[in-house]
Every structure is written in structure tokens, then in C-alpha cells.
């Protein structure tokens, strides 16, 4: 059972570089999310998607971009990396009927991607 | 806007104790509340999900309750074991389509 798969697991970037964190899920979930987790700060939502072709900003979207061309994939792109983007990034997915009636909305997380910007 | 708070930030108990972790939220129109476990260097694993129409959910030694009127949820762990040591996070959703808002977590250490 693959679930939610993120790559890479670890990455060191130099200030100003760009990179893409990959995320794929094999559960046919319509919702996908990107969170970042800083020490002692909990998880903060960066972007989310309610289905292919639709994305929305979360609490901390600045400096990031996303796309959702397929149900399975939800890559997160960092443009012009800054030290403030040093964090652990988690991709997650869930299933929820878009009309607002949820089947439970249990959310499944990937293992995380540790990113350091120096 | 939903805000979720967890107190205490850290808790240490001897093995075998029953314990309660607390979670409070600001929006009483909460749609559902979930409890997660996070081991060091790992992602989050969903433990229990409570819908707004429910008052509690149980799984093995875990029991989670939801009191919307007081804006509180508790996670009860019975007969704690060293393997329960982890960070426990709660998260609330204000509607079926709204992403979850997470608390900062409680780091639990169960001492053998």
C-alpha cells in the first residue's frame, strides 16, 4: 500500500535556487494538501486542491506554487528559495464529496520532505 | 477562523498510567475533529475522527471525545506504554470542504 508518496526526503538548497517537491497518491482522493511544519509551530497549510485543475491558497502560500494536472499528483514548487523556507514539508490527501457532504475526511500524510535553505 | 490549541506542550508519565490530552478550538461550528500521532522524523497517522454529530470515538486503548459547546476535545489513553511516546496533534475542520487547522501538539513521553 503506497498511500501518499513524497520525494525527495531530504534536500539542501542554496538561497535563490528553485526546486519541486513531488507528491503522488494512489487512493483516488480528490483533495490534496501541502503543509509545512516548523519546530514547535504545528502544521500550516500552504496550498490545497479540491480536484484536478483546481488549487487554492492556504495560510502561508507566499514563495510557493502548485499545480494539479491529474488526480494523483500535486507538486509543490519553491521559487527563489529563502532561509525562511527551511522546514519539513508534508503532502496529504483525503476524500470528500465536493458539494460539502463529507464521507469522513480522514486525511493521510506522506512521510515528509526535509528542506534546508543555506 | 478556526484556531486550535493544545495544552500542555509536553507531558511525561510513568508506564501504566491513564492519561488525558486536551485540545480546544474556537469555532463551535466545527465539522469534525481528528487526532493524529506523529513519531520523530515521520509523517502523521490518523488515530480517531469524530464527526460533529458524534460525541466520542474509541479505538483500542484510545478514546476521543468532542464537546462542541465548550470547544473542547480530549484524547484518553488507557494503561499507557512506552510505545505510546510520540507527539499527538488534534485538528479541526469548520466544514466538509475546509482544510484542517492543526494544534501545535503535545509531546508525550511514557517512562518504563
Amino acid at each position: 500500500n503506497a498511500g501518499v508518496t513524497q520525494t525527495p526526503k531530504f534536500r539542501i538548497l542554496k538561497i535563490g535556487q528553485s526546486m519541486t517537491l513531488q507528491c503522488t497518491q494512489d487512493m483516488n482522493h480528490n483533495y490534496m494538501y501541502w503543509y509545512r511544519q516548523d519546530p514547535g509551530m504545528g502544521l500550516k497549510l500552504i496550498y490545497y486542491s479540491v480536484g484536478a485543475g483546481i488549487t487554492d491558497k492556504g495560510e502561508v502560500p507566499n514563495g510557493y506554487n502548485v499545480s494539479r494536472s491529474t488526480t494523483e499528483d500535486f507538486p509543490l514548487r519553491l521559487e527563489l528559495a529563502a532561509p525562511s523556507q527551511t522546514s519539513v514539508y508534508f503532502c496529504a490527501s483525503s476524500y470528500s464529496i465536493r458539494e460539502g457532504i463529507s464521507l469522513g475526511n480522514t486525511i493521510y500524510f506522506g512521510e515528509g520532505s526535509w528542506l534546508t535553505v543555506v | 477562523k478556526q484556531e486550535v490549541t493544545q495544552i500542555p506542550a509536553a507531558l511525561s508519565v510513568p508506564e501504566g498510567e491513564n492519561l488525558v490530552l486536551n485540545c480546544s478550538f474556537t469555532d463551535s461550528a466545527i465539522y469534525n475533529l481528528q487526532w493524529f500521532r506523529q513519531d520523530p522524523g515521520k509523517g502523521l497517522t490518523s488515530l480517531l475522527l469524530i464527526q460533529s454529530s458524534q460525541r466520542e470515538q474509541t479505538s483500542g486503548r484510545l478514546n476521543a471525545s468532542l464537546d462542541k459547546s465548550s470547544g473542547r476535545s480530549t484524547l484518553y489513553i488507557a494503561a499507557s506504554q512506552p510505545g505510546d511516546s510520540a507527539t499527538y496533534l488534534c485538528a479541526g475542520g469548520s466544514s466538509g470542504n475546509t482544510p484542517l487547522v492543526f494544534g501545535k501538539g503535545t509531546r508525550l513521553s511514557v517512562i518504563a
Side-chain angles (χ1 to χ4, degrees):
Chain A
N1 294 344
V4 179
T5 303
Q6 294 180 233
T7 57
K9 192 168 180 68
F10 300 98
R11 181 72 185 267
I12 298 175
L13 275 181
K14 293 184 178 179
I15 294 172
Q17 285 187 321
S18 299
M19 75 160 296
T20 299
L21 298 177
Q22 301 291 344
C23 177
T24 187
Q25 53 93 7
D26 62 359
M27 296 173 282
N28 201 31
H29 285 168
N30 53 350
Y31 278 57
M32 295 188 75
Y33 317 82
W34 275 105
Y35 288 91
R36 60 178 286 174
Q37 185 178 35
D38 300 312
M41 297 301 293
L43 276 79
K44 294 187 177 181
L45 182 67
I46 305 172
Y47 272 96
Y48 70 105
S49 169
V50 302
I54 304 170
T55 61
D56 283 296
K57 295 179 180 179
E59 184 181 0
V60 288
N62 292 342
Y64 306 94
N65 281 298
V66 295
S67 60
R68 184 93 181 271
S69 57
T70 67
T71 299
E72 296 78 18
D73 299 307
F74 191 42
L76 176 72
R77 181 152 181 88
L78 282 70
E79 305 282 2
L80 299 175
S84 61
Q85 294 179 303
T86 294
S87 189
V88 183
Y89 291 84
F90 288 100
C91 180
S93 71
S94 66
Y95 184 75
S96 177
I97 298 176
R98 287 180 59 189
E99 290 72 23
I101 302 173
S102 173
L103 292 182
N105 225 19
T106 298
I107 188 169
Y108 297 85
F109 281 82
E111 291 281 290
S113 297
W114 273 252
L115 176 66
T116 301
V117 182
V118 297
Chain B
K1 178 187 173 184
Q2 184 71 269
E3 293 182 7
V4 178
T5 304
Q6 292 184 251
I7 296 174
L11 180 65
S12 183
V13 301
E15 181 178 6
E17 260 198 22
N18 302 325
L19 60 99
V20 174
L21 304 180
N22 296 298
C23 172
S24 61
F25 47 91
T26 55
D27 185 359
S28 61
I30 195 164
Y31 190 84
N32 59 45
L33 189 130
Q34 295 187 41
W35 283 92
F36 297 85
R37 169 182 173 140
Q38 185 177 27
D39 293 293
K42 299 291 186 180
L44 282 70
T45 301
S46 181
L47 296 173
L48 290 165
L49 165 67
I50 310 175
Q51 300 284 11
S52 60
S53 58
Q54 300 171 324
R55 291 191 62 85
E56 65 179 319
Q57 284 286 339
T58 298
S59 176
R61 294 183 293 109
L62 306 180
N63 176 277
S65 67
L66 176 64
D67 185 341
K68 292 171 57 179
S69 62
S70 66
R72 294 185 62 188
S73 176
T74 60
L75 178 66
Y76 175 84
I77 302 178
S80 59
Q81 303 170 358
D84 294 330
S85 298
T87 296
Y88 291 81
L89 296 94
C90 68
S94 294
S95 74
N97 290 334
T98 303
L100 296 174
V101 176
F102 284 81
K104 295 181 180 180
T106 294
R107 188 173 67 253
L108 173 67
S109 298
V110 181
I111 310 301

